[in-house]
Each structure stands twice: as C-alpha cells, then as structure tokens.
Amino acid sequence: MSSTGRRAPGPAENPAERGPSGPVAARERLAADRADTLARMAALGRDFDGIVAANALVAVDDEHDPEGGTTAFERAHVASLMEQAREYLGDLDLALQRVELGTYGRCEACGGTIPPERLEIRPAATTCVSCAEPSPRRPRRAAH
C-alpha cells in the first residue's frame, strides 16, 4: 500500500503497461494475430483437403492429364502457404515468450528498442529497422 492508503498498481494495472507498446497491448496484439493465423491455417487445411478429395475422384496422371499439372501446382501452393503460416505461428509463440520474459521490443542484434510502429506492422519482429536492413553490397569492379 502507498502512503495514501491505496494499493500500488500491479503490472497489469499500470497504465504504461497498457499503452501501445506495453506488454499487455503486445500480448493482446500477438494473441489476436495468433488467432488469425490459426484461422488462416484451418482455411488452408480445408482447401488442401478439397484439392486432395477432388483428385481422389478422378484417376489423375500428372504426366498425361492436362489438368494434372495445375492440380499439382495448386496442391504445392497451398502446402507452401500452410508451411509459411506454421512458421509465422512459431514466430508469434516466440514473441509471446519474449513478452513474458520482458525482452519483447528489444532488438536481438543490437539490444536497442524496436520502434512501436515496426511492432505494429510486424508483431513478431526480432530486430530493429537498422539491423533488419540488408547490409550494403560492395560496388562491383569494372572488368578490364
């Protein structure tokens, strides 16, 4: 209790923690992004199952069937999107762990602060903008 007889605010009650870059807001944003990603994965799973089921009804020979290549491409495309979503889900889970550890919003490369605007766009970001930029390439020498 403080000298005014009031209870000191706990971590979740601190207004700064609810701000746009506080851990409560970060946790909520990451949880919402995680839910969206799970929904996208479920939809992609249904799409993949639909493609497989449609092919099961037809004897498909990818080499000789004019639609076989398209079907194979669609199946590979959806599988790739599912893998990307799985990887992003893992990134979100790691970001949630960083929130719990108190390291969310810190650049893993330089230790600086990741700008809130970057975290708003890329909630699972692990680096600040400077560290995320590709290193400048050396100029090519002219061939003599």
Side-chain angles (χ1 to χ4, degrees):
M1 283 205 171
S2 68
S3 59
T4 62
R6 292 176 150 174
R7 195 178 98 228
E13 298 172 36
N14 182 343
E17 300 226 342
R18 288 194 88 41
S21 60
V24 173
R27 194 176 297 110
E28 290 170 355
R29 186 171 50 248
L30 289 165
D33 205 2
R34 190 175 194 285
D36 290 345
T37 302
L38 286 170
R40 185 170 62 248
M41 289 173 66
L44 287 168
R46 288 188 299 274
D47 289 350
F48 188 85
D49 292 345
I51 293 167
V52 171
N55 281 341
L57 299 174
V58 181
V60 176
D61 177 359
D62 284 0
E63 259 184 64
H64 300 101
D65 182 8
E67 293 297 315
T70 302
T71 303
F73 172 79
E74 288 175 9
R75 191 173 51 235
H77 180 71
V78 171
S80 175
L81 292 174
M82 287 174 64
E83 182 57 31
Q84 288 173 6
R86 266 190 224 99
E87 287 176 16
Y88 186 60
L89 187 65
D91 292 344
L92 291 171
D93 288 341
L94 291 173
L96 283 164
Q97 288 177 0
R98 290 192 303 276
V99 170
E100 297 307 316
L101 294 171
T103 59
Y104 182 77
R106 288 266 163 226
C107 178
E108 290 182 351
C110 71
T113 301
I114 300 173
E117 299 83 10
R118 177 166 170 76
L119 292 172
E120 187 71 31
I121 294 168
R122 300 181 66 86
T126 59
T127 56
C128 65
V129 176
S130 297
C131 292
E133 291 177 347
S135 58
R137 293 185 180 186
R138 294 183 195 163
R140 297 175 86 180
R141 286 199 229 176
H144 291 285

